[in-house]
Amino acid sequence: MNKSSSLRGVSVCSLGLSAAILGGCAATPDHKPTVQASVVSNSNTSYTIKKASIRTPSSSHSTQSARREVNRQAHRQIQAYQNTDTVSRKTVAVGLTREQYRARFEAEKAARVAEALRLQQAKAEAEERQRITRENAIREEYAQKWEANKAAIRARQAKAKAKRVRQQAEVKVKQAQAQFMVKKVENVIRTASNQIGTPYVWGGKTPGKGFDCSGLVQHSLAQGANVRVPRTAAEQYAASVKVASGSASRGDLVFFRTRGSSVSHVGIYLGNGKFLHAPRKGKTVTVSTISGYWQDRLIGFGRIPGACKLPVPMV
């Protein structure tokens, strides 16, 4: 084989292969290019393409139109994305690079973190407001209770003060009454003392005629305290308020039994164990000591209301 024949064979094969490739790229799977080998001559070894055809489907025009429509839609989406603002681009992922998508992801993550922080702060502020509201309510409740307690305390203080004033007034009245009674007692004792030396007369009850023991007491109480008492010693003992010996006071009546076992003698107690009385026939009105004879015959002491000193309770 010579050089020119070899070149022609390579060229023919290259053309056939190119046509086959082009036909295969443009054809459908059902239509493939057909390549037939040429008749080999005996003199020269060479190959030629006898028949090569490239067949395309009849729908190639519609396919190209669909591709153009897809390209136009993609172009419109890119233009719309470029014309939208940053917020709207969050929902559009057309034309984003890896760096842009990552930046958007980080921005959305930061936004979510900021929103969570805002919600947490809002929750904390709401809880703080609730706490302040509860504390204010508790403080108001305590303030109301404190005011009520102060009002109750003032009422108790006013009541106690009124009670003290009333008790003090009662004490003053009783003290005044006691002082008045002391004056009466002293008047009774002075009246009786004025009769010292008057002779004893059985049944006597006047200074002119003389006195017996009960007559002297009756006269002294009537003139000194304007108090009427019964006539006899026994009746005067029955009308008196009994007093213990240790509590006897000046102006009380002191009773004895000089005959029998009942009360038969009376005198006016002067204190310090002494009493004023009209002893018996042949004697005069005098002051004696409760001892010896009189101590043995002592029955007790008594007070005549309105004429003798009464104890005043101190508050």
Side-chain angles (χ1 to χ4, degrees):
M1 183 184 297
N2 55 19
K3 187 176 182 179
S4 61
S5 298
S6 299
L7 290 174
R8 283 196 302 271
V10 172
S11 299
V12 171
C13 291
S14 300
L15 291 173
L17 183 59
S18 301
I21 293 173
L22 291 174
C25 292
T28 61
D30 296 334
H31 298 82
K32 295 182 179 180
T34 303
V35 179
Q36 295 182 356
S38 62
V39 178
V40 179
S41 63
N42 294 326
S43 60
N44 296 321
T45 303
S46 63
Y47 296 90
T48 59
I49 296 174
K50 182 179 181 182
K51 184 178 181 181
S53 62
I54 299 174
R55 298 180 181 180
T56 57
S58 60
S59 60
S60 61
H61 179 72
S62 60
T63 301
Q64 293 177 0
S65 299
R67 289 177 179 176
R68 287 193 294 272
E69 181 63 26
V70 169
N71 292 335
R72 283 194 297 270
Q73 290 180 0
H75 182 71
R76 284 195 296 270
Q77 290 179 359
I78 293 173
Q79 291 294 330
Y81 176 78
Q82 293 176 352
N83 292 331
T84 55
D85 55 6
T86 304
V87 178
S88 300
R89 289 182 184 180
K90 292 181 180 181
T91 60
V92 180
V94 179
L96 293 178
T97 63
R98 183 181 182 88
E99 290 74 11
Q100 290 173 340
Y101 180 80
R102 185 173 185 82
R104 190 186 70 173
F105 175 78
E106 295 296 335
E108 291 178 353
K109 181 179 179 181
R112 288 193 298 270
V113 172
E115 180 66 15
L117 181 60
R118 186 188 66 80
L119 293 176
Q120 184 178 2
Q121 291 177 350
K123 182 179 179 181
E125 291 175 357
E127 291 177 352
E128 181 66 15
R129 287 193 296 269
Q130 292 178 356
R131 184 187 65 79
I132 293 174
T133 301
R134 288 194 299 270
E135 289 181 355
N136 290 336
I138 294 173
R139 190 179 295 108
E140 182 66 21
E141 181 181 359
Y142 276 115
Q144 292 177 358
K145 289 182 178 179
W146 173 247
E147 293 297 330
N149 289 337
K150 289 198 297 185
I153 291 172
R154 287 194 295 268
R156 288 195 296 269
Q157 289 176 347
K159 185 177 180 181
K161 183 178 180 180
K163 183 178 180 180
R164 287 195 302 270
V165 171
R166 184 175 63 255
Q167 290 176 344
Q168 291 173 357
E170 293 176 354
V171 169
K172 289 181 179 180
V173 171
K174 291 180 180 180
Q175 288 176 347
Q177 292 176 349
Q179 291 176 358
F180 180 71
M181 293 307 301
V182 168
K183 292 180 179 179
K184 279 191 172 184
V185 168
E186 296 301 324
N187 288 336
V188 169
I189 293 175
R190 185 169 51 252
T191 302
S193 299
N194 291 335
Q195 304 306 319
I196 293 177
T198 302
Y200 176 89
V201 176
W202 176 264
K205 57 181 181 179
T206 61
K209 294 183 178 180
F211 297 99
D212 60 8
C213 62
S214 58
L216 177 64
V217 170
Q218 187 181 47
H219 172 77
S220 299
L221 293 179
Q223 298 297 319
N226 196 24
V227 174
R228 300 291 183 267
V229 293
R231 176 66 182 84
T232 65
E235 292 174 340
Q236 291 174 1
Y237 180 75
S240 66
V241 178
K242 308 305 182 287
V243 179
S245 299
S247 300
S249 178
R250 182 178 172 87
D252 293 340
L253 302 183
V254 56
F255 298 93
F256 303 91
R257 55 176 182 276
T258 56
R259 296 188 302 272
S261 59
S262 61
V263 175
S264 58
H265 188 72
V266 64
I268 299 174
Y269 185 63
L270 301 178
N272 297 323
K274 294 182 179 181
F275 68 102
L276 191 151
H277 65 127
R280 65 180 184 274
K281 185 177 181 180
K283 298 290 183 177
T284 61
V285 176
T286 186
V287 175
S288 299
T289 301
I290 303 176
S291 61
Y293 175 85
W294 296 111
Q295 180 67 43
D296 295 339
R297 288 162 176 76
L298 176 65
I299 293 179
F301 297 84
R303 291 177 181 174
I304 302 299
C308 298
K309 181 180 179 181
L310 296 177
V312 179
M314 304 300 293
V315 179

